[in-house]
Amino acid sequence: MNPAAQPFDAAQDLADAPRVAGPRLRPKDAATLILFRGAAKAPEVLMGRRAQGHVFMASKWVFPGGRIDRSDFTAASATDPSSEALTRLQREVPARRARALTLTAVRETFEETGLMLAEPAPPAAVAGPWREFRAIGALPDLAALTYAGRAITPPGRTRRFDARFFMADVSALLKPEPTAGSGELDEIAWLSLPEALALPLPAITRLILGEAAERRAQPDRIPPFVRMIKGQHIITRE
């Protein structure tokens, strides 16, 4: 087993985002991208530290990602998602939303790190969140994404997400080094797995990092789905 593989720490997950009083929030669709580089036996992963001012997971190290945007439903791409990724996603959501989630992962990664999972294309003028991406001269490479897992934030948190985790190799990037991005992450770095696991990670990030590293070495590994049912964290694989 890969040394990165980690059991899920349910107690830590509750500590990462304690329950709060207030209305019951419905999870918002979100997507995250785990970027790897290097050999499968000793890879490095791209991670960023959330700024201290965030009300959710402040100062924690995470993968770049965020909420789905309306523009993700209509954005153009150079390639389509793989049949495996679409098959898994379409068990959960309609086809149009499934594709949009892959675009969310690419867009959010670009916004937070400056990295582009893309192929060169003629510059184009578009409105909205994809404006800068398209102006540079690129289209998202959705075929480079592998579906790595899903997690729903437990009830009673200040933010709730139905997050899909994707992974890709650095070779699919137009340029391999991150920039400052939007500022949502106040530090960005390529880290070895031992280095990453030594950082203050949310429990779900720690679990998914280990799962993604395992899946990179064993492509047939079934991605996990983490959620809370009747007060208990449940992990299933389908």
Side-chain angles (χ1 to χ4, degrees), residues 52-159:
Q52 290 185 355
H54 286 289
V55 298
F56 188 76
M57 302 293 187
S59 300
K60 295 283 190 176
W61 284 79
V62 297
F63 313 117
R67 290 190 301 178
I68 199 169
D69 184 85
R70 286 189 303 174
S71 64
D72 299 331
F73 288 89
T74 56
S77 63
T79 60
D80 293 324
S82 69
S83 58
E84 181 196 24
L86 280 180
T87 297
R88 292 193 179 280
L89 286 166
Q90 288 180 48
R91 292 173 184 167
E92 306 163 3
V93 294
R96 186 166 176 264
R97 183 168 290 267
R99 179 179 180 275
L101 284 164
T102 64
L103 282 156
T104 300
V106 175
R107 176 182 54 75
E108 286 284 339
T109 297
F110 171 66
E111 291 177 0
E112 294 183 0
T113 70
L115 293 172
M116 306 179 78
L117 188 77
E119 294 186 359
V126 301
W130 286 95
R131 179 172 57 250
E132 185 178 351
F133 194 104
R134 295 299 310 279
I136 291 173
L139 281 170
D141 181 9
L142 304 183
L145 295 169
T146 298
Y147 189 63
R150 178 185 181 190
I152 299 178
T153 310
R157 307 311 191 265
T158 56
R159 301 285 188 275

Side-chain angles (χ1 to χ4, degrees), residues 3 26 33 37 100 114 123 131 156 169 196 202 229 236:
R26 182 176 180 178
L33 181 55
R37 71 179 184 185
R131 179 172 57 250
D169 189 77
I229 299 176
T236 56

